[in-house]
Amino acid sequence: MVQKRIRDYNIIPGRMRTGKWNKITDVPGVLVGHSTIKNETNHTGVTVILPGPDNGFINKYTAASYVHNGFGKSCGLVQIEELGTLETPIALTNTLNVGLVWDALAGYVIRQSQAEGVEPMSLNPIVGECNDSQINQIQNRAVKEQHVMEAIAGAEEDFAEGDVGAGAGTICYGLKGGIGSASRVIELDGKEYTIGVLVQSNFGATADFVLNGMAAGEQILKLKKDKEGMASAECDKGSIMTILATDLPVSHRQLKRIIRRTAVGIARTGAYTGHGSGEVMIGFTTANRIPPSSQGKLITQTMIHEDLINRAFQAAAEASHEAILNSMVCAQTTTGLKGQVYYSLAEFLPELTIL
């Protein structure tokens, strides 16, 4: 099924050129897979971002993380902050499933490494989360190892968005949230590079929502009376996980500066980063890989000059903005555990004065 994304409604966030898919997978080697659980009590799942086709534990990625607001339960950020490397796939899920998904990722990388003759004695799986308890019976901890493996096995370039995987039970601005993605292409020194973003959106108060520069949230609340059982969000809480991938040769420090600019994209949708919302950014580059051992030799890396970094800043801001809107417009209307209805943004677009 071909999904309609925000550009299909003639809403174009930003002005930079996109990649082929306009997704994080425009960065060569990056794949994304989902496993979605939907039944009477559970609307949840797991989304896995594979940074490349080989074993990242053996040949690590330069990486960075940034916690804009720390109301969250992510795993692995301390070591990324200290060492500036990523050595496993990145998984997103719900709040109470972080430990189970961590365990599944650890098992996957251990088996992968042992098959290549390497015995991991220390491992740093990366797991992010959003709380989907309004739609999902979160205490069931429905995501199991089999679902993580299913997401990995099904990872692809042209992946689904909306209420799939880790986005199955999330809410954004009181509407249905989910997984969304976008990319931007920049040119430096005659060569093209890609910055791609994937979000798990679960934040924002309805009244604050901004679309195409207009106060769309206020219009949506006025239309609420005509939508049976429609829910809304009175305050900004719930979290957003933002994953940024690039093939741009940057240092750990530069990458951290770039991922911080995804907060600009979040703000463009109207959020102010509320107390109860966890804004966590994780980024990696497929350039500047770190070998398993120096073998007594110095490691040489390439990095862009700081004078050129503004282009990456703009790309990160635009891609995160569009990824959030894609997560909302691709999601389907869903009923919560108490009967409240979280409508898709797509259902309101024909009625909004935003153009």
Side-chain angles (χ1 to χ4, degrees):
M1 181 184 70
V2 177
Q3 293 182 301
K4 291 188 70 174
R5 307 174 80 202
I6 197 65
R7 287 175 180 249
D8 294 315
Y9 296 92
N10 295 318
I11 297 171
I12 313 296
R15 54 188 175 86
M16 301 181 77
R17 181 162 59 92
T18 73
K20 173 185 176 181
W21 300 108
N22 194 14
K23 295 179 180 180
I24 192 173
T25 47
D26 287 323
V27 178
V30 177
L31 300 175
V32 173
H34 306 294
S35 180
T36 306
I37 302 167
K38 289 186 180 180
N39 53 45
E40 290 184 1
T41 56
N42 291 116
H43 277 68
T44 192
V46 59
T47 295
V48 177
I49 299 94
L50 301 178
D54 59 337
N55 188 345
F57 181 76
I58 294 175
N59 194 21
K60 304 181 194 307
Y61 295 85
T62 296
S65 64
Y66 177 67
V67 179
H68 193 60
N69 191 58
F71 206 133
K73 288 80 182 171
S74 302
C75 282
L77 303 189
V78 171
Q79 185 166 310
I80 287 184
E81 179 69 18
E82 186 69 21
L83 302 184
T85 59
L86 172 70
E87 59 188 28
T88 75
I90 300 170
L92 304 175
T93 189
N94 70 62
T95 304
L96 297 189
N97 255 122
V98 169
L100 287 162
V101 171
W102 186 100
D103 188 67
L105 266 188
Y108 169 76
V109 176
I110 288 171
R111 292 189 295 272
Q112 185 184 35
S113 299
Q114 288 176 334
E116 299 179 46
V118 176
E119 298 288 342
M121 299 300 174
S122 175
L123 192 58
N124 189 46
I126 307 300
V127 186
E129 56 79 28
C130 287
N131 193 306
D132 57 14
S133 58
Q134 297 302 306
I135 296 176
N136 172 53
Q137 184 53 264
I138 198 169
Q139 294 91 347
N140 289 346
R141 299 197 292 169
V143 179
K144 307 298 182 185
E145 181 179 13
Q146 69 193 63
H147 299 109
V148 179
M149 296 304 106
E150 181 181 288
I152 292 172
E156 56 188 345
E157 290 183 350
D158 191 16
F159 58 92
E161 297 170 280
D163 51 327
V164 293
T170 60
I171 300 162
C172 194
Y173 289 104
L175 305 177
K176 185 66 187 75
I179 298 294
S181 193
S183 71
R184 295 294 185 270
V185 176
I186 61 177
E187 184 176 324
L188 297 175
D189 196 24
K191 184 177 179 180
E192 290 186 344
Y193 299 94
T194 302
I195 288 178
V197 170
L198 179 145
V199 300
Q200 178 191 17
S201 65
N202 193 52
F203 70 102
T206 307
D208 295 329
F209 181 48
V210 173
L211 182 61
N212 217 28
M214 304 295 290
E218 295 177 0
Q219 295 183 54
I220 288 171
L221 288 175
K222 291 178 180 178
L223 295 168
K224 180 178 177 180
K225 64 180 183 301
D226 297 322
K227 298 288 186 181
E228 184 176 355
M230 177 183 161
S232 60
E234 295 183 359
C235 61
D236 186 355
K237 64 179 182 179
S239 302
I240 176 170
M241 291 294 311
T242 304
I243 311 300
L244 183 146
T246 186
D247 55 358
L248 190 65
V250 288
S251 68
H252 159 67
R253 177 190 59 79
Q254 289 177 322
L255 188 56
K256 185 168 185 176
R257 295 191 71 200
I258 293 168
I259 64 174
R260 284 169 57 190
R261 268 59 183 190
T262 63
V264 175
I266 296 171
R268 286 177 180 174
T269 65
Y272 55 84
T273 311
H275 158 69
S277 186
E279 277 70 24
V280 177
M281 297 88 167
I282 301 168
F284 64 89
T285 176
T286 57
N288 290 335
R289 301 289 293 275
I290 310 297
S293 172
S294 68
Q295 298 180 334
K297 299 179 181 179
L298 297 177
I299 298 174
T300 301
Q301 292 188 332
T302 302
M303 57 184 282
I304 64 172
H305 194 284
E306 227 77 6
D307 286 350
L308 303 174
I309 204 168
N310 272 350
R311 301 181 200 177
F313 287 170
Q314 183 179 357
E318 286 193 12
S320 56
H321 181 197
E322 185 166 0
I324 293 167
L325 298 180
N326 281 334
S327 77
M328 298 174 70
V329 80
C330 290
Q332 301 296 310
T333 296
T334 304
T335 301
L337 293 174
K338 297 180 180 179
Q340 71 278 37
V341 181
Y342 296 97
Y343 282 86
S344 170
L345 173 60
E347 296 199 29
F348 289 97
L349 289 179
E351 301 178 77
L352 297 179
T353 308
I354 55 173
L355 300 178

